[in-house]
Amino acid sequence: MTAETTFDATSDTLANLLNEVATGRLQLPDFQRGWVWDDEHIAAVITSVARSFPIGAVMTLQTGGEVRFKPRLVEGVTFKGEEPKPERLLLDGQQRLTSMYQALMLKHAIRTRDAKRRDVDVFYYVDINRVMGTAEDREAAVFSVPANRQVTGAFGREVKLDLSSREKEFSERCFPLNMTFASDEWFTGWMQYWNYAPAEIELFNKFRSAFIDTFKSYAVPVIQLRRTASKEAVCRVFEKVNTGGVSLTAFELLTATFAAEEFNLREDWFGIAKSTSPEKGRAGRMTEAGEVLKVIEATDFLQAVNLLYTAAGKALTEAGQGGRGVPSAISCTRQSILDLPLAGYRDHADRAEEGFKRVRQFLWRERVFSGYDLPYRTQLVPLAAILTSLGDRWNDAPIRARVRNWYWCGVFGELYGSAIESRFARDLPEVVAWALGADVAPQTVQDCNFFNDRLRTLQSRQSAAYKGLHALIMQRGGARDWRTGAEVQEQTYFDESIDIHHIFPRAWCERQGVARGIYNSIVNKTALSASTNRFLGGDAPSVYLKRLQDRQKLAAGEIDGYLNTHFVDAIRLRADDLVGMLVARADALAREISHATGRPVTGVDFLEIFGGTVEVDDTIEEAA
């Protein structure tokens, strides 16, 4: 049996399409991004039409069917009274049709951007003589002028082209493109200006035939989805359509499908901006819960919702209560998110939001306070679903300990950088079961391997493990400030601008000829406030430690106590023994990683890794 087609492939004239735009019969679905084309793109598409080059097909959807979207007028279209209801919606072609509608039909200047990305108000013209010239001339015939219709030079002191009146347009032989579909009126003025000179009439008639008539007869391929098309068919189309050259996200696609059931996903996520009492959406509420949650994107949230929804469906299926449309496997791939029904979103969105708030509490205890120091944003998706699924027990000490092991295995195993949706789907059931007492460790825990020599190659924030060690130093040691003695907490982290700084200062190391690959390792860095780091300067540790003691009037033992909270060997540091300090600290940090992950740290001896400081090659590639 042959499936009934859901679309028609035909063509329409540009003139008719623009007339439908102007009368509101052709509108946009409200979820579409705004019009973004710049001056260069607008001139280029007009030139393509003028030369009868193809500009690509447009795609529309007949209204009145199962799929319903809130419509909005194409940018630039206005009505004084009630807005008309559209007969079809423009799914693909917004940038092209909006650009041509504004350039060819609006009587006021167009707001766009110039080559320097500055906002400009312009009108579009065509040079009549150049249109009649060579191919190169025709390519450059379309141009824009400022809103005052004057092109100037010498910082505005010299007028190079003045089109500020009809007479000046006639004199310069420049035709305003917004008269393209009303050219007879302009031609009447042209003939009067040139006193009905036969040569000028002939010139305009040739121009009309070569240029204006091209716009009136230009045919645009149209793919029109019928009103009988299903939501699934329309959604599939959205997946293939680009808006302004940027692929639609899963959030935007789901926004479109939920709109068919009169649910505004965008408002649910971003909130409603009102002049009085604006309503926060889920994104705003989560941000209020903690700074670190500012990094959560709409698609991350949908992935967490879908993990919970498909996990619930899988449980029903396994209990023999599944059925048509009930998921039988846990998933958060793009396609599975697009299959998420509105009822499934409603059932699990609040649970996912609560899960991310628990994530904030979890990370706070691990001393991850901001997105800047977050090892992996992506890992928060399964973490939110896991903490939600564990219910109130997520905070029980033995359960939280196992979740913590899994989290740090992901960080130090560096397992959440790519191709992660399948890992998310495994993590949720495996970590929940393990946390509740199952013997088999999750695959992520089993996959975690950290080797000693990785410590040396951790050179920058490009690495999740680099950020992870920063958090462990603040968490396990306390990382008390070397001047104030204050332990790092959320408030001091932000108030004192805590960041990662060198223990043996870079300037001192470079004076000693120490290779960058040694002194720039995370092992020679720790969490210090900005003011403390400035106080240390570029001096040897023996010098800045004495300066600290003298300024603070502290005994050496007190300073040494602060150093110990950073896993720094005070004796070796005071002796300016770089290699000795690095070896001792690397050993201590390796033990901390092993404690956090519950996995052994193996590899070559640390003295082999950090010894021979001057001779070591400093061209170390940061691991992906």
Side-chain angles (χ1 to χ4, degrees):
M1 182 171 122
T2 304
E4 181 182 354
T5 183
T6 60
F7 68 93
D8 297 304
T10 182
S11 66
D12 206 343
T13 64
L14 175 63
N16 186 59
L17 288 170
L18 295 183
N19 183 60
E20 286 193 27
V21 169
T23 57
R25 287 180 290 154
L26 178 60
Q27 297 186 29
L28 296 166
D30 191 53
F31 68 88
Q32 286 271 37
R33 295 188 181 98
W35 177 61
V36 296
W37 268 15
D38 58 19
D39 176 63
E40 182 180 356
H41 279 87
I42 297 169
V45 74
I46 293 170
T47 299
S48 293
V49 173
R51 301 192 65 188
S52 297
F53 292 167
I55 60 169
V58 300
M59 186 176 295
T60 64
L61 168 68
Q62 288 181 322
T63 58
E66 173 190 349
V67 182
R68 302 184 305 277
F69 300 124
K70 179 182 177 182
R72 83 166 189 270
L73 296 168
V74 169
E75 191 160 339
V77 180
T78 57
F79 289 92
K80 291 183 179 179
E82 183 179 352
E83 293 183 4
K85 293 183 178 179
E87 297 175 2
R88 51 181 176 171
L89 299 177
L90 183 61
L91 303 182
D92 188 24
Q94 176 195 8
Q95 304 300 321
R96 288 165 284 162
L97 289 189
T98 303
S99 296
M100 286 186 285
Y101 169 76
Q102 296 210 11
L104 302 178
M105 302 189 77
L106 289 186
K107 301 309 177 186
H108 58 74
I110 300 170
R111 170 62 59 90
T112 183
R113 288 188 173 187
D114 63 15
K116 295 182 179 180
R117 310 302 296 163
R118 298 173 301 192
D119 288 338
V120 290
D121 295 312
V122 299
F123 287 98
Y124 285 89
Y125 280 83
V126 59
D127 185 316
I128 294 175
N129 287 327
R130 299 194 80 171
V131 163
M132 311 306 297
T134 65
E136 185 177 346
D137 285 336
R138 294 197 299 273
E139 192 67 28
V142 175
F143 62 96
S144 64
V145 299
N148 65 2
R149 302 180 193 259
Q150 292 181 335
V151 178
T152 61
F155 301 99
R157 293 191 295 271
E158 174 190 355
V159 178
K160 294 184 174 181
L161 178 65
D162 189 350
L163 302 174
S164 58
S165 68
R166 278 283 184 260
E167 290 73 18
K168 291 175 180 178
E169 291 173 353
F170 301 146
S171 174
E172 297 289 348
R173 293 182 173 83
C174 290
F175 177 77
L177 287 179
N178 61 6
M179 296 297 291
T180 298
F181 297 106
S183 59
D184 289 348
E185 176 188 336
W186 196 85
F187 180 45
T188 299
W190 167 277
M191 290 190 298
Q192 292 171 350
Y193 178 83
W194 292 109
N195 199 25
Y196 298 92
E200 297 300 332
I201 294 175
E202 182 182 3
L203 174 62
F204 188 83
N205 283 333
K206 288 182 177 179
F207 166 70
R208 177 159 47 194
S209 176
F211 185 88
I212 294 175
D213 290 350
T214 300
F215 282 86
K216 293 181 178 180
S217 62
Y218 186 87
V220 179
V222 177
I223 300 172
Q224 179 161 280
L225 293 182
R226 297 173 182 172
R227 60 175 55 90
T228 55
S230 66
K231 286 190 294 184
E232 290 76 14
V234 175
C235 184
R236 181 63 60 87
V237 167
F238 288 158
E239 287 188 86
K240 306 300 181 184
V241 170
N242 282 350
T243 302
V246 181
S247 297
L248 293 169
T249 66
F251 176 77
E252 290 166 319
L253 295 171
L254 206 59
T255 297
T257 57
F258 284 177
E261 300 179 61
E262 306 298 331
F263 180 81
N264 194 319
L265 180 62
R266 188 174 298 278
E267 288 184 357
D268 186 68
W269 175 251
F270 290 108
I272 304 174
K274 298 188 296 186
S275 57
T276 57
S277 303
E279 298 178 16
K280 281 189 170 63
R282 298 185 189 277
R285 294 194 296 268
M286 291 197 306
T287 297
E288 281 185 340
E291 174 79 15
V292 71
L293 296 183
K294 283 184 178 180
V295 303
I296 300 301
E297 298 176 357
T299 302
D300 300 328
F301 184 75
L302 290 178
Q303 284 186 310
V305 171
N306 211 58
L307 284 174
L308 296 172
Y309 165 69
T310 53
K314 182 174 184 289
L316 287 174
T317 300
E318 291 175 346
Q321 300 174 31
R324 181 179 175 83
V326 177
S328 58
I330 299 174
S331 176
C332 64
T333 63
R334 176 182 170 87
Q335 185 56 54
S336 70
I337 291 174
L338 296 180
D339 292 337
L340 173 67
L342 177 57
Y345 180 82
R346 290 184 187 275
D347 287 344
H348 298 282
D350 287 345
R351 297 181 65 217
E353 183 178 337
E354 177 59 29
F356 278 108
K357 291 176 181 177
R358 292 178 180 180
V359 164
R360 183 266 178 193
Q361 297 177 55
F362 178 93
L363 293 176
W364 181 85
R365 295 184 188 177
E366 302 299 321
R367 298 299 190 270
V368 179
F369 299 120
S370 75
Y372 183 63
D373 285 328
L374 181 66
Y376 285 119
R377 188 195 84 241
T378 51
Q379 196 178 3
L380 303 192
V381 171
L383 178 57
I386 289 164
L387 297 182
T388 297
S389 300
L390 287 170
D392 293 338
R393 296 195 62 191
W394 78 273
N395 228 354
D396 292 356
I399 291 176
R400 190 183 179 284
R402 282 197 163 181
V403 174
R404 181 177 185 272
N405 282 156
W406 161 81
Y407 176 77
W408 288 116
C409 280
V411 172
F412 290 108
E414 299 180 279
L415 299 173
Y416 288 88
S418 61
I420 48 180
E421 287 85 359
S422 59
R423 186 174 294 278
F424 290 177
R426 287 199 309 267
D427 281 337
L428 177 54
E430 291 179 357
V431 177
V432 169
W434 190 53
L436 293 175
D439 293 331
V440 180
Q443 189 64 48
T444 295
V445 173
Q446 298 179 45
D447 289 345
C448 173
N449 290 293
F450 190 90
F451 299 95
N452 287 342
D453 51 355
R454 181 72 178 109
L455 285 171
R456 178 185 158 188
T457 63
L458 295 177
Q459 301 274 323
S460 74
R461 277 190 170 83
Q462 293 176 350
S463 165
Y466 180 99
K467 297 179 184 180
L469 264 176
H470 178 47
L472 283 189
I473 291 166
M474 292 189 291
Q475 175 201 159
R476 290 280 293 169
R480 297 180 66 178
D481 189 77
W482 295 357
R483 288 194 311 123
T484 66
E487 185 175 335
V488 176
Q489 299 290 345
E490 188 172 31
Q491 184 171 349
T492 55
Y493 173 87
F494 291 107
D495 289 349
E496 301 297 327
S497 299
I498 303 296
D499 206 346
I500 305 173
H501 296 290
H502 292 86
I503 299 170
F504 279 81
R506 179 175 61 183
W508 180 87
C509 290
E510 290 177 347
R511 289 196 299 271
Q512 306 304 310
V514 179
R516 176 180 174 82
I518 294 294
Y519 75 72
N520 204 46
S521 162
I522 186 66
V523 183
N524 186 41
K525 296 177 183 177
T526 198
L528 297 173
S529 67
S531 58
T532 296
N533 183 59
R534 288 192 298 270
F535 186 80
L536 303 186
D539 295 325
S542 59
V543 175
Y544 71 62
L545 287 174
K546 185 176 187 307
R547 187 163 63 240
L548 273 172
Q549 289 175 215
D550 293 343
R551 176 188 173 96
Q552 304 300 100
K553 295 183 170 41
L554 294 173
E558 290 181 272
I559 294 289
D560 290 352
Y562 299 162
L563 297 175
N564 289 337
T565 66
H566 294 254
F567 305 101
V568 173
D569 186 304
I571 295 176
R572 290 182 171 89
L573 188 65
R574 289 182 179 279
D576 297 334
D577 180 2
L578 174 63
V579 173
M581 191 283 292
L582 291 176
V583 170
R585 193 165 192 253
D587 185 66
L589 294 180
R591 288 197 301 271
E592 289 304 311
I593 293 171
S594 181
H595 179 271
T597 61
R599 303 279 292 174
V601 174
T602 59
V604 299
D605 185 83
F606 285 118
L607 184 58
E608 181 179 339
I609 296 171
F610 290 103
T613 306
V614 177
E615 293 79 12
V616 176
D617 179 18
D618 65 358
T619 57
I620 293 180
E621 293 286 341
E622 179 68 23

